[in-house]
Amino acid sequence: MGVRLMLFLVAALLLGVVLGTVAHAPLTFSVAVGAVIAVWLGVFALREHRGRDRGTSAH
């Protein structure tokens, strides 16, 4: 549950920051940055999930 909460909080924070920036940025740039953030969060979640399966931290 801790990882999900952290991901939600990070996503909420980024959404607030990005919405202000996106208003002034081109659509293609916004989509590219959103994709990079989504991949980063996915990799982080996968590493956390695998680390938890082994009973150790992923760090």
Side-chain angles (χ1 to χ4, degrees):
M1 184 168 119
V3 173
R4 289 181 187 165
L5 178 61
M6 197 248 356
L7 288 174
F8 174 77
L9 292 175
V10 169
L13 176 65
L14 288 174
L15 180 65
V17 171
V18 170
L19 282 178
T21 304
V22 167
H24 304 286
L27 180 62
T28 54
F29 175 78
S30 301
V31 170
V33 170
V36 169
I37 291 171
V39 168
W40 178 78
L41 288 174
V43 168
F44 176 80
L46 183 63
R47 286 185 59 194
E48 287 293 320
H49 181 70
R50 285 186 177 176
R52 187 163 292 158
D53 285 345
R54 287 188 225 136
T56 61
S57 172
H59 304 294

